[in-house]
């Protein structure tokens, strides 16, 4: 079976120019990917901090509700200890 010869329709200069354009595009996209990865890393850290802050706020709200309930019922610390045990 005979091999077919590849036909090239561009000149060597056009091919070189096209390869250079592709290299420039690759470099630009690589830089963009690095920036996106750095942004994602920052967002992951911010997410963890936001979750911790929300958990802390929820805990503080629960504590305020507990204090309010204790005050409404007129309970002392000793009475609460006895209830827990």
């Amino acid at each position: 079976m005979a091999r077919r010869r590849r036909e090239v329709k561009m000149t060597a200069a056009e091919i070189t120019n096209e390869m250079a354009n592709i290299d420039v595009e690759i470099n630009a996209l690589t830089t963009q990917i690095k920036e996106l990865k750095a942004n994602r890393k920052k967002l992951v850290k911010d997410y963890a901090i936001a979750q911790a802050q929300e958990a802390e706020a929820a805990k503080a709200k629960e504590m305020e509700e507990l204090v309010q309930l204790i005050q409404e019922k007129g309970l002392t610390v000793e009475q609460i200890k006895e209830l827990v045990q």
Side-chain angles (χ1 to χ4, degrees):
M1 193 165 169
R3 292 180 68 183
R4 292 179 48 184
R5 264 196 138 152
R6 183 179 172 121
E7 291 185 32
V8 179
K9 297 183 182 185
M10 293 192 294
T11 65
E14 291 173 334
I15 293 171
T16 303
N17 187 32
E18 184 68 23
M19 288 172 27
N21 289 340
I22 290 173
D23 287 341
V24 168
E25 192 173 338
I26 288 171
N27 288 335
L29 291 173
T30 301
T31 301
Q32 186 178 2
I33 288 171
K34 287 179 182 178
E35 290 171 356
L36 289 171
K37 284 182 178 181
N39 189 25
R40 185 180 189 284
K41 188 175 181 179
K42 180 185 172 292
L43 288 173
V44 167
K45 289 179 182 178
D46 290 349
Y47 179 74
I49 292 169
Q51 276 188 322
Q53 289 173 344
E54 289 172 5
E56 189 176 316
K59 186 176 178 180
K61 184 179 178 186
E62 287 178 354
M63 292 303 291
E64 287 175 13
E65 290 174 357
L66 180 61
V67 168
Q68 185 180 10
L69 181 63
I70 290 170
Q71 289 174 348
E72 286 176 5
K73 299 298 180 182
L75 297 173
T76 65
V77 174
E78 293 301 320
Q79 291 172 328
I80 293 172
K81 285 182 181 178
E82 289 176 16
L83 289 173
V84 173
Q85 294 178 350

